[in-house]
Amino acid sequence: SEFRSAPAVAADGIIGGQVVSGTRRMAIIQLNLQYATAPFSIPVPCSNATVTDAVYDGAQSLQKVYETSSRNQLTFNRDTDSNGSADVFGPFTINAVHGVCDEINWAAQADAAATAAGVALSSYQHKIYVLPNFNSIGCAWHGHAQINCGNSCQAWIAVCSNIVVYTHEVGHNLGLYHS
């Protein structure tokens, strides 16, 4: 699932209106959902190491897919904050209403929690919110993202170890639509 923030094809015929290249910066924010009623809490099922592997380090990671398909014209900085590890933060516990898929509110709460923990979110072009599995949180999608959002992008991932979903949703951020 996606939502649009720009026209699909510019006058020059380039999807999104521009070619995206260079080094992009992603903050990956893991989230546990806390409910006022049963089931009360649903944790994200992947460790930060598993998410790091899916996005940066695995043999078929998002990083390798974009570097290979762009002939090394597009890459992602795994350590924008220069602390020696990939920029995967959390998990942070946020409030949710059981059965309501409310990714915009979840993103606002996640941003507040990450900022309170010292994450400088303004340093990142992409914020990737990693949620508990879609079938346990009331969402009908595996991933959801803004399309062609430039330097202020959001994407939501609800199958935390599936690199295809990360790659697909970040592709929307970069201006790619479904074919």
mmCIF file of all heavy atoms in Angstrom, residues 28-33 41-48 51 88-93 129-133 136-137 157-161 166:
data_model
loop_
_atom_site.group_PDB
_atom_site.id
_atom_site.type_symbol
_atom_site.label_atom_id
_atom_site.label_comp_id
_atom_site.label_asym_id
_atom_site.label_seq_id
_atom_site.Cartn_x
_atom_site.Cartn_y
_atom_site.Cartn_z
ATOM 1 N N ILE A 28 16.144 3.676 11.097
ATOM 2 C CA ILE A 28 15.220 2.547 11.185
ATOM 3 C C ILE A 28 14.789 2.449 12.642
ATOM 4 O O ILE A 28 15.621 2.282 13.537
ATOM 5 C CB ILE A 28 15.887 1.255 10.696
ATOM 6 C CG1 ILE A 28 16.381 1.456 9.257
ATOM 7 C CG2 ILE A 28 14.920 0.085 10.804
ATOM 8 C CD1 ILE A 28 17.323 0.392 8.768
ATOM 9 N N ILE A 29 13.491 2.600 12.869
ATOM 10 C CA ILE A 29 12.954 2.707 14.221
ATOM 11 C C ILE A 29 12.038 1.515 14.492
ATOM 12 O O ILE A 29 10.976 1.393 13.884
ATOM 13 C CB ILE A 29 12.197 4.042 14.397
ATOM 14 C CG1 ILE A 29 13.106 5.215 14.024
ATOM 15 C CG2 ILE A 29 11.668 4.165 15.813
ATOM 16 C CD1 ILE A 29 12.379 6.538 13.894
ATOM 17 N N GLN A 30 12.446 0.658 15.419
ATOM 18 C CA GLN A 30 11.656 -0.523 15.787
ATOM 19 C C GLN A 30 10.620 -0.138 16.845
ATOM 20 O O GLN A 30 10.930 0.601 17.779
ATOM 21 C CB GLN A 30 12.575 -1.603 16.352
ATOM 22 C CG GLN A 30 13.533 -2.174 15.317
ATOM 23 C CD GLN A 30 13.343 -3.648 15.191
ATOM 24 O OE1 GLN A 30 12.407 -4.086 14.510
ATOM 25 N NE2 GLN A 30 14.209 -4.423 15.815
ATOM 26 N N LEU A 31 9.401 -0.667 16.705
ATOM 27 C CA LEU A 31 8.299 -0.291 17.590
ATOM 28 C C LEU A 31 7.578 -1.497 18.170
ATOM 29 O O LEU A 31 7.248 -2.453 17.449
ATOM 30 C CB LEU A 31 7.282 0.555 16.821
ATOM 31 C CG LEU A 31 7.814 1.858 16.240
ATOM 32 C CD1 LEU A 31 6.764 2.516 15.381
ATOM 33 C CD2 LEU A 31 8.284 2.774 17.352
ATOM 34 N N ASN A 32 7.326 -1.425 19.469
ATOM 35 C CA ASN A 32 6.392 -2.326 20.137
ATOM 36 C C ASN A 32 5.097 -1.541 20.316
ATOM 37 O O ASN A 32 5.142 -0.338 20.607
ATOM 38 C CB ASN A 32 6.908 -2.740 21.521
ATOM 39 C CG ASN A 32 8.213 -3.487 21.456
ATOM 40 O OD1 ASN A 32 8.435 -4.294 20.562
ATOM 41 N ND2 ASN A 32 9.095 -3.222 22.407
ATOM 42 N N LEU A 33 3.959 -2.202 20.148
ATOM 43 C CA LEU A 33 2.677 -1.522 20.341
ATOM 44 C C LEU A 33 2.088 -1.907 21.686
ATOM 45 O O LEU A 33 2.028 -3.091 22.031
ATOM 46 C CB LEU A 33 1.710 -1.880 19.212
ATOM 47 C CG LEU A 33 2.159 -1.514 17.801
ATOM 48 C CD1 LEU A 33 1.052 -1.809 16.799
ATOM 49 C CD2 LEU A 33 2.595 -0.065 17.701
ATOM 50 N N SER A 41 0.042 -5.868 24.777
ATOM 51 C CA SER A 41 1.328 -5.510 24.196
ATOM 52 C C SER A 41 1.684 -6.475 23.068
ATOM 53 O O SER A 41 1.521 -7.686 23.220
ATOM 54 C CB SER A 41 2.414 -5.565 25.267
ATOM 55 O OG SER A 41 3.657 -5.218 24.710
ATOM 56 N N ILE A 42 2.138 -5.915 21.958
ATOM 57 C CA ILE A 42 2.618 -6.744 20.853
ATOM 58 C C ILE A 42 4.018 -6.248 20.505
ATOM 59 O O ILE A 42 4.189 -5.130 20.015
ATOM 60 C CB ILE A 42 1.696 -6.675 19.625
ATOM 61 C CG1 ILE A 42 0.284 -7.136 19.990
ATOM 62 C CG2 ILE A 42 2.271 -7.529 18.489
ATOM 63 C CD1 ILE A 42 -0.710 -7.052 18.862
ATOM 64 N N PRO A 43 5.026 -7.077 20.761
ATOM 65 C CA PRO A 43 6.397 -6.651 20.467
ATOM 66 C C PRO A 43 6.761 -6.876 19.007
ATOM 67 O O PRO A 43 6.219 -7.746 18.332
ATOM 68 C CB PRO A 43 7.236 -7.567 21.369
ATOM 69 C CG PRO A 43 6.410 -8.808 21.482
ATOM 70 C CD PRO A 43 4.964 -8.350 21.446
ATOM 71 N N VAL A 44 7.690 -6.067 18.523
ATOM 72 C CA VAL A 44 8.257 -6.307 17.202
ATOM 73 C C VAL A 44 9.045 -7.618 17.315
ATOM 74 O O VAL A 44 9.768 -7.827 18.283
ATOM 75 C CB VAL A 44 9.110 -5.111 16.729
ATOM 76 C CG1 VAL A 44 10.344 -4.925 17.573
ATOM 77 C CG2 VAL A 44 9.467 -5.227 15.270
ATOM 78 N N PRO A 45 8.878 -8.547 16.369
ATOM 79 C CA PRO A 45 9.494 -9.871 16.538
ATOM 80 C C PRO A 45 10.956 -9.977 16.112
ATOM 81 O O PRO A 45 11.561 -11.021 16.318
ATOM 82 C CB PRO A 45 8.612 -10.770 15.666
ATOM 83 C CG PRO A 45 8.080 -9.881 14.619
ATOM 84 C CD PRO A 45 7.928 -8.528 15.267
ATOM 85 N N CYS A 46 11.541 -8.952 15.558
ATOM 86 C CA CYS A 46 12.924 -9.037 15.081
ATOM 87 C C CYS A 46 13.865 -8.238 15.977
ATOM 88 O O CYS A 46 13.525 -7.151 16.424
ATOM 89 C CB CYS A 46 13.044 -8.489 13.661
ATOM 90 S SG CYS A 46 12.299 -9.535 12.415
ATOM 91 N N SER A 47 15.046 -8.762 16.168
ATOM 92 C CA SER A 47 16.075 -8.022 16.887
ATOM 93 C C SER A 47 16.635 -6.933 15.980
ATOM 94 O O SER A 47 16.465 -6.972 14.751
ATOM 95 C CB SER A 47 17.199 -8.967 17.308
ATOM 96 O OG SER A 47 17.888 -9.428 16.146
ATOM 97 N N ASN A 48 17.333 -5.979 16.557
ATOM 98 C CA ASN A 48 17.998 -4.957 15.752
ATOM 99 C C ASN A 48 19.017 -5.595 14.815
ATOM 100 O O ASN A 48 19.207 -5.126 13.690
ATOM 101 C CB ASN A 48 18.642 -3.902 16.647
ATOM 102 C CG ASN A 48 17.621 -2.968 17.268
ATOM 103 O OD1 ASN A 48 16.415 -3.135 17.100
ATOM 104 N ND2 ASN A 48 18.089 -1.983 18.004
ATOM 105 N N VAL A 51 17.198 -6.890 11.705
ATOM 106 C CA VAL A 51 16.833 -5.781 10.822
ATOM 107 C C VAL A 51 18.081 -5.238 10.114
ATOM 108 O O VAL A 51 18.058 -4.980 8.905
ATOM 109 C CB VAL A 51 16.099 -4.678 11.605
ATOM 110 C CG1 VAL A 51 15.885 -3.448 10.744
ATOM 111 C CG2 VAL A 51 14.767 -5.208 12.125
ATOM 112 N N VAL A 88 19.819 1.564 13.544
ATOM 113 C CA VAL A 88 18.587 0.849 13.887
ATOM 114 C C VAL A 88 18.341 1.146 15.359
ATOM 115 O O VAL A 88 19.168 0.809 16.212
ATOM 116 C CB VAL A 88 18.713 -0.668 13.637
ATOM 117 C CG1 VAL A 88 17.424 -1.381 14.011
ATOM 118 C CG2 VAL A 88 19.079 -0.943 12.176
ATOM 119 N N PHE A 89 17.214 1.784 15.661
ATOM 120 C CA PHE A 89 16.940 2.291 16.994
ATOM 121 C C PHE A 89 15.735 1.600 17.611
ATOM 122 O O PHE A 89 14.825 1.184 16.924
ATOM 123 C CB PHE A 89 16.708 3.803 16.938
ATOM 124 C CG PHE A 89 17.832 4.551 16.273
ATOM 125 C CD1 PHE A 89 17.688 5.036 14.971
ATOM 126 C CD2 PHE A 89 19.036 4.743 16.923
ATOM 127 C CE1 PHE A 89 18.716 5.713 14.349
ATOM 128 C CE2 PHE A 89 20.082 5.418 16.308
ATOM 129 C CZ PHE A 89 19.924 5.908 15.017
ATOM 130 N N GLY A 90 15.722 1.549 18.926
ATOM 131 C CA GLY A 90 14.621 0.941 19.651
ATOM 132 C C GLY A 90 14.916 -0.500 20.008
ATOM 133 O O GLY A 90 16.071 -0.908 20.024
ATOM 134 N N PRO A 91 13.893 -1.264 20.250
ATOM 135 C CA PRO A 91 12.486 -0.901 20.053
ATOM 136 C C PRO A 91 11.969 0.060 21.119
ATOM 137 O O PRO A 91 12.356 -0.008 22.268
ATOM 138 C CB PRO A 91 11.754 -2.236 20.115
ATOM 139 C CG PRO A 91 12.643 -3.131 20.910
ATOM 140 C CD PRO A 91 14.040 -2.657 20.699
ATOM 141 N N PHE A 92 11.095 0.941 20.657
ATOM 142 C CA PHE A 92 10.392 1.871 21.522
ATOM 143 C C PHE A 92 8.951 1.385 21.641
ATOM 144 O O PHE A 92 8.375 0.910 20.667
ATOM 145 C CB PHE A 92 10.399 3.286 20.935
ATOM 146 C CG PHE A 92 11.786 3.839 20.740
ATOM 147 C CD1 PHE A 92 12.304 3.978 19.464
ATOM 148 C CD2 PHE A 92 12.555 4.206 21.820
ATOM 149 C CE1 PHE A 92 13.580 4.484 19.262
ATOM 150 C CE2 PHE A 92 13.846 4.713 21.641
ATOM 151 C CZ PHE A 92 14.351 4.846 20.363
ATOM 152 N N THR A 93 8.366 1.528 22.814
ATOM 153 C CA THR A 93 6.977 1.127 23.027
ATOM 154 C C THR A 93 6.097 2.358 22.890
ATOM 155 O O THR A 93 6.335 3.386 23.535
ATOM 156 C CB THR A 93 6.802 0.478 24.404
ATOM 157 O OG1 THR A 93 7.634 -0.700 24.463
ATOM 158 C CG2 THR A 93 5.352 0.078 24.647
ATOM 159 N N TYR A 129 9.799 2.768 9.879
ATOM 160 C CA TYR A 129 9.185 2.324 11.124
ATOM 161 C C TYR A 129 8.914 0.820 11.012
ATOM 162 O O TYR A 129 8.140 0.391 10.154
ATOM 163 C CB TYR A 129 7.882 3.072 11.391
ATOM 164 C CG TYR A 129 8.074 4.567 11.382
ATOM 165 C CD1 TYR A 129 7.738 5.329 10.265
ATOM 166 C CD2 TYR A 129 8.626 5.226 12.478
ATOM 167 C CE1 TYR A 129 7.924 6.697 10.243
ATOM 168 C CE2 TYR A 129 8.821 6.601 12.465
ATOM 169 C CZ TYR A 129 8.466 7.331 11.342
ATOM 170 O OH TYR A 129 8.662 8.693 11.321
ATOM 171 N N VAL A 130 9.563 0.034 11.866
ATOM 172 C CA VAL A 130 9.418 -1.418 11.840
ATOM 173 C C VAL A 130 8.439 -1.805 12.944
ATOM 174 O O VAL A 130 8.678 -1.555 14.127
ATOM 175 C CB VAL A 130 10.772 -2.127 12.016
ATOM 176 C CG1 VAL A 130 10.595 -3.632 11.955
ATOM 177 C CG2 VAL A 130 11.760 -1.652 10.948
ATOM 178 N N LEU A 131 7.342 -2.415 12.526
ATOM 179 C CA LEU A 131 6.212 -2.729 13.396
ATOM 180 C C LEU A 131 6.117 -4.228 13.667
ATOM 181 O O LEU A 131 6.721 -5.037 12.949
ATOM 182 C CB LEU A 131 4.917 -2.281 12.706
ATOM 183 C CG LEU A 131 4.832 -0.809 12.334
ATOM 184 C CD1 LEU A 131 3.756 -0.590 11.279
ATOM 185 C CD2 LEU A 131 4.557 0.012 13.577
ATOM 186 N N PRO A 132 5.299 -4.617 14.654
ATOM 187 C CA PRO A 132 4.973 -6.037 14.784
ATOM 188 C C PRO A 132 4.311 -6.537 13.501
ATOM 189 O O PRO A 132 3.862 -5.752 12.666
ATOM 190 C CB PRO A 132 3.994 -6.063 15.958
ATOM 191 C CG PRO A 132 4.337 -4.838 16.759
ATOM 192 C CD PRO A 132 4.715 -3.807 15.720
ATOM 193 N N ASN A 133 4.232 -7.850 13.341
ATOM 194 C CA ASN A 133 3.676 -8.430 12.115
ATOM 195 C C ASN A 133 2.282 -7.892 11.816
ATOM 196 O O ASN A 133 1.453 -7.755 12.718
ATOM 197 C CB ASN A 133 3.651 -9.949 12.195
ATOM 198 C CG ASN A 133 5.034 -10.531 12.048
ATOM 199 O OD1 ASN A 133 5.904 -9.942 11.407
ATOM 200 N ND2 ASN A 133 5.259 -11.672 12.650
ATOM 201 N N SER A 136 -1.038 -9.129 13.251
ATOM 202 C CA SER A 136 -1.284 -8.986 14.684
ATOM 203 C C SER A 136 -1.618 -7.555 15.088
ATOM 204 O O SER A 136 -1.950 -7.306 16.239
ATOM 205 C CB SER A 136 -0.067 -9.474 15.474
ATOM 206 O OG SER A 136 1.048 -8.639 15.237
ATOM 207 N N ILE A 137 -1.570 -6.604 14.149
ATOM 208 C CA ILE A 137 -1.766 -5.192 14.522
ATOM 209 C C ILE A 137 -2.925 -4.514 13.809
ATOM 210 O O ILE A 137 -3.124 -3.311 13.962
ATOM 211 C CB ILE A 137 -0.467 -4.376 14.302
ATOM 212 C CG1 ILE A 137 -0.037 -4.367 12.837
ATOM 213 C CG2 ILE A 137 0.640 -4.881 15.205
ATOM 214 C CD1 ILE A 137 1.121 -3.422 12.527
ATOM 215 N N ILE A 157 7.063 -0.843 7.884
ATOM 216 C CA ILE A 157 7.335 -2.239 7.564
ATOM 217 C C ILE A 157 6.665 -3.096 8.629
ATOM 218 O O ILE A 157 6.922 -2.919 9.828
ATOM 219 C CB ILE A 157 8.857 -2.522 7.539
ATOM 220 C CG1 ILE A 157 9.595 -1.543 6.625
ATOM 221 C CG2 ILE A 157 9.136 -3.979 7.200
ATOM 222 C CD1 ILE A 157 9.235 -1.618 5.167
ATOM 223 N N ALA A 158 5.827 -4.054 8.216
ATOM 224 C CA ALA A 158 5.118 -4.912 9.172
ATOM 225 C C ALA A 158 5.458 -6.389 8.969
ATOM 226 O O ALA A 158 4.674 -7.260 9.333
ATOM 227 C CB ALA A 158 3.619 -4.666 9.078
ATOM 228 N N VAL A 159 6.591 -6.667 8.380
ATOM 229 C CA VAL A 159 7.187 -8.014 8.300
ATOM 230 C C VAL A 159 8.699 -7.803 8.397
ATOM 231 O O VAL A 159 9.389 -7.679 7.395
ATOM 232 C CB VAL A 159 6.783 -8.803 7.029
ATOM 233 C CG1 VAL A 159 5.392 -9.364 7.137
ATOM 234 C CG2 VAL A 159 6.890 -7.953 5.783
ATOM 235 N N CYS A 160 9.199 -7.747 9.606
ATOM 236 C CA CYS A 160 10.506 -7.153 9.885
ATOM 237 C C CYS A 160 11.719 -7.844 9.287
ATOM 238 O O CYS A 160 12.766 -7.211 9.150
ATOM 239 C CB CYS A 160 10.697 -7.006 11.383
ATOM 240 S SG CYS A 160 10.664 -8.553 12.289
ATOM 241 N N SER A 161 11.633 -9.083 8.892
ATOM 242 C CA SER A 161 12.827 -9.741 8.350
ATOM 243 C C SER A 161 12.769 -9.922 6.833
ATOM 244 O O SER A 161 13.665 -10.511 6.245
ATOM 245 C CB SER A 161 13.042 -11.097 9.025
ATOM 246 O OG SER A 161 11.942 -11.948 8.773
ATOM 247 N N TYR A 166 11.185 -4.188 2.594
ATOM 248 C CA TYR A 166 12.019 -2.996 2.787
ATOM 249 C C TYR A 166 12.385 -2.379 1.434
ATOM 250 O O TYR A 166 12.248 -1.169 1.228
ATOM 251 C CB TYR A 166 13.324 -3.342 3.511
ATOM 252 C CG TYR A 166 13.193 -3.678 4.970
ATOM 253 C CD1 TYR A 166 13.074 -4.994 5.383
ATOM 254 C CD2 TYR A 166 13.231 -2.684 5.935
ATOM 255 C CE1 TYR A 166 12.989 -5.314 6.733
ATOM 256 C CE2 TYR A 166 13.147 -2.986 7.283
ATOM 257 C CZ TYR A 166 13.019 -4.312 7.671
ATOM 258 O OH TYR A 166 12.939 -4.625 8.996
#
